[in-house]
Coordinates of all heavy atoms in Angstrom, one line a residue:
I148 N -11.9 -0.6 -2.3 CA -10.9 0.1 -1.6 C -9.8 -0.9 -1.2 O -10.0 -1.8 -0.5 CB -11.4 0.8 -0.3 CG1 -12.6 1.7 -0.6 CG2 -10.3 1.6 0.4 CD1 -13.3 2.2 0.7
H149 N -8.6 -0.7 -1.8 CA -7.5 -1.6 -1.6 C -6.4 -1.0 -0.9 O -5.9 0.1 -1.2 CB -7.0 -2.1 -3.0 CG -5.9 -3.1 -2.9 ND1 -6.0 -4.3 -2.4 CD2 -4.6 -2.9 -3.3 CE1 -4.8 -4.9 -2.4 NE2 -3.9 -4.1 -2.9
F150 N -5.9 -1.7 0.2 CA -4.8 -1.3 1.0 C -3.6 -2.2 0.7 O -3.7 -3.4 0.5 CB -5.1 -1.4 2.5 CG -6.2 -0.5 2.9 CD1 -7.5 -0.9 2.9 CD2 -5.9 0.8 3.4 CE1 -8.5 -0.1 3.4 CE2 -6.9 1.6 3.8 CZ -8.2 1.2 3.8
H151 N -2.4 -1.6 0.5 CA -1.2 -2.4 0.4 C 0.0 -1.8 1.2 O -0.2 -0.7 1.7 CB -0.8 -2.7 -1.0 CG -0.5 -1.5 -1.9 ND1 0.4 -0.5 -1.5 CD2 -1.0 -1.1 -3.1 CE1 0.5 0.4 -2.4 NE2 -0.4 0.1 -3.4
S152 N 1.1 -2.5 1.3 CA 2.1 -2.2 2.2 C 3.3 -1.4 1.6 O 4.4 -1.3 2.1 CB 2.7 -3.5 2.8 OG 3.2 -4.3 1.7
Q153 N 3.0 -0.7 0.4 CA 4.0 0.2 -0.1 C 4.5 1.1 1.0 O 3.8 1.7 1.7 CB 3.4 1.0 -1.3 CG 4.3 1.9 -2.0 CD 3.7 2.8 -3.0 OE1 2.4 2.9 -3.1 NE2 4.5 3.5 -3.8
P154 N 5.8 1.3 1.1 CA 6.9 0.9 0.1 C 7.6 -0.5 0.4 O 8.7 -0.7 0.0 CB 7.9 2.0 0.4 CG 7.8 2.3 1.8 CD 6.3 2.2 2.2
F155 N 6.9 -1.3 1.2 CA 7.5 -2.6 1.6 C 6.8 -3.8 0.9 O 5.6 -3.7 0.6 CB 7.4 -2.8 3.1 CG 7.9 -1.6 3.9 CD1 7.1 -0.7 4.5 CD2 9.3 -1.4 4.0 CE1 7.5 0.4 5.3 CE2 9.8 -0.3 4.7 CZ 8.9 0.6 5.4
G156 N 7.5 -4.9 0.8 CA 7.0 -6.1 0.3 C 6.6 -6.0 -1.2 O 6.9 -5.0 -1.9
N157 N 5.9 -7.0 -1.7 CA 5.5 -7.1 -3.1 C 4.1 -6.4 -3.3 O 3.1 -6.9 -3.7 CB 5.3 -8.6 -3.5 CG 5.2 -8.7 -5.0 OD1 5.4 -7.7 -5.8 ND2 5.0 -9.9 -5.5
W158 N 4.2 -5.1 -3.0 CA 2.9 -4.3 -3.0 C 2.4 -4.1 -4.4 O 1.2 -4.0 -4.6 CB 3.1 -2.9 -2.3 CG 4.2 -2.1 -3.0 CD1 5.5 -2.0 -2.7 CD2 3.9 -1.2 -4.0 NE1 6.1 -1.1 -3.5 CE2 5.2 -0.6 -4.4 CE3 2.8 -0.8 -4.8 CZ2 5.4 0.4 -5.3 CZ3 3.0 0.2 -5.8 CH2 4.2 0.7 -6.1
L159 N 3.3 -4.0 -5.4 CA 2.8 -3.8 -6.8 C 2.0 -4.9 -7.3 O 1.0 -4.7 -7.9 CB 4.0 -3.5 -7.7 CG 3.7 -3.1 -9.1 CD1 2.8 -1.9 -9.2 CD2 4.9 -2.9 -9.9
A160 N 2.4 -6.2 -7.0 CA 1.6 -7.3 -7.4 C 0.2 -7.3 -6.7 O -0.8 -7.7 -7.3 CB 2.4 -8.6 -7.0
S161 N 0.2 -6.9 -5.4 CA -1.1 -6.8 -4.7 C -2.0 -5.8 -5.4 O -3.2 -6.1 -5.6 CB -0.8 -6.4 -3.3 OG -2.0 -6.2 -2.6
E162 N -1.4 -4.6 -5.8 CA -2.3 -3.6 -6.5 C -2.8 -4.2 -7.8 O -3.9 -4.0 -8.2 CB -1.4 -2.4 -6.7 CG -2.1 -1.3 -7.4 CD -1.3 0.0 -7.5 OE1 -0.8 0.4 -6.5 OE2 -1.2 0.5 -8.7
E163 N -1.9 -4.8 -8.6 CA -2.3 -5.4 -9.9 C -3.4 -6.4 -9.8 O -4.3 -6.4 -10.5 CB -1.1 -6.0 -10.6 CG -0.1 -4.9 -11.1 CD 1.2 -5.6 -11.6 OE1 1.4 -6.8 -11.4 OE2 2.0 -4.8 -12.2
K164 N -3.3 -7.2 -8.7 CA -4.4 -8.2 -8.5 C -5.7 -7.5 -8.2 O -6.8 -7.9 -8.7 CB -4.0 -9.1 -7.3 CG -3.0 -10.2 -7.6 CD -2.6 -10.9 -6.4 CE -3.7 -11.6 -5.6 NZ -3.3 -12.3 -4.4
A165 N -5.7 -6.5 -7.4 CA -6.9 -5.8 -7.0 C -7.5 -5.2 -8.3 O -8.8 -5.3 -8.4 CB -6.6 -4.7 -6.0
V166 N -6.7 -4.6 -9.1 CA -7.3 -4.0 -10.3 C -7.9 -5.0 -11.2 O -9.0 -4.8 -11.8 CB -6.2 -3.2 -11.1 CG1 -6.7 -2.7 -12.5 CG2 -5.7 -2.0 -10.3
E167 N -7.2 -6.2 -11.4 CA -7.8 -7.3 -12.2 C -9.1 -7.8 -11.6 O -10.0 -8.1 -12.4 CB -6.7 -8.4 -12.3 CG -5.6 -8.1 -13.2 CD -6.0 -7.8 -14.6 OE1 -6.8 -8.6 -15.2 OE2 -5.6 -6.7 -15.2
I168 N -9.2 -7.9 -10.3 CA -10.4 -8.4 -9.7 C -11.5 -7.4 -10.0 O -12.7 -7.8 -10.3 CB -10.2 -8.6 -8.2 CG1 -9.3 -9.8 -8.0 CG2 -11.5 -8.7 -7.5 CD1 -8.9 -10.0 -6.5
V169 N -11.2 -6.1 -9.9 CA -12.3 -5.1 -10.1 C -12.7 -5.1 -11.6 O -13.9 -5.0 -11.9 CB -11.8 -3.7 -9.7 CG1 -12.8 -2.6 -10.1 CG2 -11.5 -3.6 -8.2
K170 N -11.8 -5.4 -12.5 CA -12.2 -5.5 -13.9 C -13.2 -6.6 -14.1 O -14.2 -6.5 -14.8 CB -10.9 -5.9 -14.7 CG -10.0 -4.7 -15.1 CD -8.9 -5.1 -16.0 CE -8.0 -3.9 -16.3 NZ -6.8 -4.4 -17.1
V171 N -13.0 -7.7 -13.4 CA -14.0 -8.8 -13.5 C -15.3 -8.4 -12.9 O -16.4 -8.7 -13.5 CB -13.4 -10.1 -12.8 CG1 -14.5 -11.2 -12.7 CG2 -12.2 -10.6 -13.5
L172 N -15.3 -7.8 -11.7 CA -16.5 -7.5 -11.0 C -17.3 -6.3 -11.6 O -18.4 -6.1 -11.3 CB -16.2 -7.3 -9.6 CG -15.7 -8.5 -8.8 CD1 -15.4 -8.2 -7.4 CD2 -16.8 -9.6 -8.9
T173 N -16.6 -5.5 -12.5 CA -17.4 -4.5 -13.2 C -18.5 -5.1 -14.1 O -19.5 -4.5 -14.3 CB -16.5 -3.5 -14.0 OG1 -15.7 -4.3 -14.9 CG2 -15.6 -2.7 -13.1
D174 N -18.2 -6.3 -14.6 CA -19.3 -6.9 -15.4 C -20.5 -7.2 -14.5 O -21.6 -7.3 -15.1 CB -18.8 -8.3 -15.9 CG -17.9 -8.1 -17.2 OD1 -17.8 -6.9 -17.7 OD2 -17.3 -9.0 -17.6
W175 N -20.3 -7.4 -13.2 CA -21.5 -7.6 -12.3 C -22.0 -6.3 -11.7 O -22.9 -6.4 -10.9 CB -21.0 -8.5 -11.2 CG -20.6 -9.9 -11.7 CD1 -19.3 -10.3 -12.0 CD2 -21.4 -11.0 -11.9 NE1 -19.3 -11.6 -12.4 CE2 -20.5 -12.1 -12.4 CE3 -22.8 -11.3 -11.8 CZ2 -21.0 -13.3 -12.7 CZ3 -23.2 -12.5 -12.2 CH2 -22.4 -13.6 -12.6
G176 N -21.4 -5.2 -12.1 CA -21.9 -3.9 -11.7 C -21.1 -3.1 -10.7 O -21.5 -2.1 -10.2
M177 N -19.9 -3.6 -10.3 CA -19.0 -2.9 -9.4 C -18.6 -1.5 -10.0 O -18.5 -1.4 -11.3 CB -17.8 -3.7 -9.0 CG -16.9 -3.0 -8.0 SD -15.6 -4.1 -7.3 CE -16.6 -5.1 -6.2
E178 N -18.4 -0.5 -9.2 CA -18.0 0.8 -9.7 C -16.7 0.6 -10.5 O -15.8 -0.1 -10.1 CB -17.8 1.8 -8.5 CG -19.0 2.0 -7.7 CD -20.1 2.7 -8.6 OE1 -20.0 3.8 -9.0 OE2 -21.1 2.0 -8.8
P179 N -16.5 1.4 -11.6 CA -15.4 1.2 -12.5 C -14.1 1.9 -12.1 O -13.4 2.5 -12.9 CB -15.9 1.7 -13.8 CG -16.8 2.8 -13.5 CD -17.5 2.3 -12.2
Y180 N -13.8 1.9 -10.8 CA -12.6 2.5 -10.3 C -12.2 1.8 -8.9 O -13.1 1.1 -8.3 CB -12.7 4.0 -10.1 CG -13.9 4.4 -9.3 CD1 -13.7 4.5 -7.9 CD2 -15.1 4.7 -9.8 CE1 -14.8 4.9 -7.1 CE2 -16.2 5.1 -9.1 CZ -16.0 5.2 -7.7 OH -17.1 5.6 -6.9
V181 N -11.0 2.0 -8.5 CA -10.6 1.4 -7.2 C -9.7 2.4 -6.5 O -8.9 3.1 -7.1 CB -9.9 0.1 -7.4 CG1 -8.7 0.2 -8.3 CG2 -9.4 -0.5 -6.1
Y182 N -10.0 2.6 -5.2 CA -9.1 3.4 -4.4 C -7.9 2.6 -3.9 O -8.1 1.5 -3.4 CB -9.8 4.0 -3.2 CG -10.8 5.1 -3.5 CD1 -12.2 4.8 -3.6 CD2 -10.4 6.4 -3.8 CE1 -13.1 5.8 -3.9 CE2 -11.3 7.4 -4.1 CZ -12.6 7.1 -4.1 OH -13.5 8.1 -4.5
I183 N -6.7 3.1 -4.2 CA -5.5 2.4 -3.7 C -4.9 3.2 -2.6 O -4.6 4.4 -2.8 CB -4.5 2.3 -4.9 CG1 -5.1 1.5 -6.1 CG2 -3.2 1.7 -4.4 CD1 -5.4 0.1 -5.8
I184 N -4.6 2.6 -1.5 CA -4.1 3.3 -0.3 C -2.9 2.6 0.3 O -3.1 1.5 0.8 CB -5.3 3.4 0.8 CG1 -6.5 4.0 0.2 CG2 -4.8 4.3 1.9 CD1 -7.7 4.1 1.1
P185 N -1.7 3.2 0.2 CA -0.5 2.6 0.8 C -0.5 2.9 2.3 O -0.6 4.0 2.7 CB 0.6 3.3 0.0 CG 0.1 4.6 -0.4 CD -1.4 4.4 -0.6
I186 N -0.2 1.8 3.1 CA -0.2 2.0 4.5 C 1.1 1.3 5.1 O 1.1 1.2 6.4 CB -1.5 1.5 5.2 CG1 -1.7 0.0 4.9 CG2 -2.7 2.3 4.8 CD1 -2.7 -0.6 5.8
G187 N 2.1 1.0 4.3 CA 3.2 0.3 4.9 C 3.9 1.1 6.0 O 4.3 0.5 7.0
D188 N 4.1 2.4 5.8 CA 4.8 3.2 6.8 C 4.0 3.3 8.0 O 4.5 3.4 9.2 CB 5.2 4.6 6.2 CG 4.0 5.3 5.6 OD1 2.9 4.7 5.4 OD2 4.1 6.5 5.4
L189 N 2.6 3.3 7.9 CA 1.7 3.4 9.1 C 1.8 2.0 9.8 O 1.7 2.0 11.1 CB 0.3 3.7 8.6 CG 0.2 5.1 7.9 CD1 -1.3 5.3 7.5 CD2 0.6 6.2 8.8
Q190 N 1.8 0.9 9.1 CA 2.0 -0.4 9.8 C 3.3 -0.4 10.5 O 3.3 -1.0 11.7 CB 1.9 -1.5 8.7 CG 0.5 -1.7 8.1 CD 0.5 -2.8 7.0 OE1 0.8 -2.5 5.9 NE2 0.3 -4.0 7.5
Q191 N 4.3 0.1 10.0 CA 5.6 0.1 10.7 C 5.5 0.9 12.0 O 6.1 0.6 13.0 CB 6.7 0.7 9.8 CG 8.1 0.5 10.3 CD 9.1 1.0 9.2 OE1 9.0 2.1 8.7 NE2 10.1 0.1 8.9
E192 N 4.7 2.0 11.9 CA 4.5 2.8 13.1 C 3.8 2.0 14.2 O 4.1 2.1 15.4 CB 3.7 4.0 12.7 CG 4.0 5.3 13.5 CD 3.2 6.5 12.9 OE1 3.3 6.8 11.7 OE2 2.5 7.1 13.8
I193 N 2.8 1.2 13.8 CA 2.1 0.4 14.7 C 3.0 -0.6 15.3 O 3.0 -0.9 16.6 CB 0.9 -0.3 14.0 CG1 -0.2 0.8 13.7 CG2 0.3 -1.4 14.9 CD1 -1.3 0.2 12.8
V194 N 3.9 -1.2 14.5 CA 4.9 -2.2 15.0 C 5.8 -1.6 16.1 O 6.0 -2.3 17.1 CB 5.8 -2.7 13.9 CG1 6.9 -3.5 14.4 CG2 4.9 -3.6 12.9

């Protein structure tokens, strides 16, 4: 489960990294999908 700050910051690079990491870990048995959850606007609300 990956959280990023979309629509703020370099969120797309963060998502791409998470997907690449999951690709590697599927060889070890990780589930072959990842949940992507943007929370940038919610973080702004907390601020």
Side-chain angles (χ1 to χ4, degrees):
I148 305 168
H149 178 67
F150 297 89
H151 60 52
S152 59
Q153 185 185 6
F155 307 106
N157 193 8
W158 61 269
L159 185 58
S161 178
E162 179 177 311
E163 290 172 349
K164 282 173 59 178
V166 171
E167 287 299 311
I168 288 169
V169 175
K170 282 183 181 178
V171 171
L172 292 177
T173 54
D174 281 352
W175 299 93
M177 184 169 282
E178 298 299 292
Y180 55 87
V181 55
Y182 286 105
I183 302 293
I184 307 175
I186 59 169
D188 54 348
L189 301 177
Q190 289 179 271
Q191 192 173 52
E192 213 176 305
I193 291 172
V194 169

